[in-house]
């Protein structure tokens, strides 16, 4: 959720302020042995951060970071490929809601499986012609719940099924489409949303007009 991302950002800021203070104090006291040991302990989280997305959108980065960490706890891998165009019509809250629901459902589906090798969730975000393409697929046990011809989540809870509804609502508000593909061993979702027009200077607009004629 958006609050989850916000809390995670605050946590990282809080922790690393303490780390910086500690490193500064150890350096001033010239306690090189303890300083070296402390830096060694920071190497692992720093390496983990280096593998996280750097999309230019901090909220998107932290969402992928948060869900990757959640998946890792269940020995699930999220394989992401992200190129977020600057002219996306989605707000940060809408983007967080879409990706949060997609990845929550994918992680839950993988958790229902018995596996010898870690299941992989594939997530792709990229421009496709004049559209924003968001695509995800994950292994599935092939058990789905249909109500009134609509696909519902098999998760038990007060809001089961609301996630997909929320995704469809956001996408439809932007004139886009959602394609769900439930199969016996795999589930995929593909979202297409028209991108916003990029303002251009007079010369660029004229050049575009000339090419269209």
């Amino acid at each position: 959720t958006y609050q989850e991302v916000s809390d995670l950002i605050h946590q990282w800021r809080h922790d690393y302020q303490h780390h910086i203070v500690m490193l500064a104090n150890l350096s001033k006291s010239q306690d090189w042995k303890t300083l070296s040991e402390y830096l060694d302990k920071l190497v692992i989280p720093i390496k983990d951060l280096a593998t996280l997305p750097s999309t230019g959108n901090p909220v998107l980065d932290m969402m992928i970071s948060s869900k990757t960490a959640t998946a890792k706890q269940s020995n699930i891998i999220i394989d992401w490929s992200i190129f977020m165009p600057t002219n996306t019509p989605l707000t940060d809250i809408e983007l967080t809601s879409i990706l949060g629901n997609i990845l929550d459902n994918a992680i839950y589906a993988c958790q229902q499986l018995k596996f010898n090798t870690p299941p992989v969730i594939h997530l792709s975000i990229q421009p496709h012609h004049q559209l924003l393409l968001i695509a995800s697929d994950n292994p599935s046990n092939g058990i789905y719940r249909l109500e009134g011809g609509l696909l519902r989540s098999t998760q038990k809870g007060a809001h089961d099924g609301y996630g997909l509804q929320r995704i469809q609502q956001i996408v439809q508000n932007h004139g886009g489409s959602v394609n769900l593909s439930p199969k016996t061993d795999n589930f995929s979702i593909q979202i297409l949303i028209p991108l916003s027009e990029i303002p251009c200077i007079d010369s660029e607009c004229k050049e575009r007009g000339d090419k269209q004629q």
Side-chain angles (χ1 to χ4, degrees), residues 49-62:
L49 281 174
T51 65
L52 297 178
S54 179
T55 65
N57 183 323
V59 173
L60 175 58
D61 292 346
M62 292 308 296

Side-chain angles (χ1 to χ4, degrees), residues 146-157:
L146 290 174
E147 290 183 5
L150 299 176
L151 188 65
R152 304 294 188 187
S153 171
T154 57
Q155 299 185 56
K156 299 299 182 181

Side-chain angles (χ1 to χ4, degrees), residues 85-137:
T86 57
N87 57 329
T88 173
L90 297 173
T91 66
D92 286 343
I93 293 177
E94 289 173 330
L95 184 60
T96 298
S97 181
I98 289 174
L99 293 181
N101 282 305
I102 287 176
L103 292 176
D104 281 347
N105 289 340
I107 291 170
Y108 177 80
C110 290
Q111 289 172 336
Q112 308 313 302
L113 302 173
K114 295 180 179 179
F115 50 84
N116 296 320
T117 58
V120 179
I121 299 168
H122 298 281
L123 174 68
S124 174
I125 304 175
Q126 60 186 347
H128 179 69
H129 300 298
Q130 298 301 315
L131 301 169
L132 173 65
L133 170 63
I134 301 175
S136 174
D137 69 79

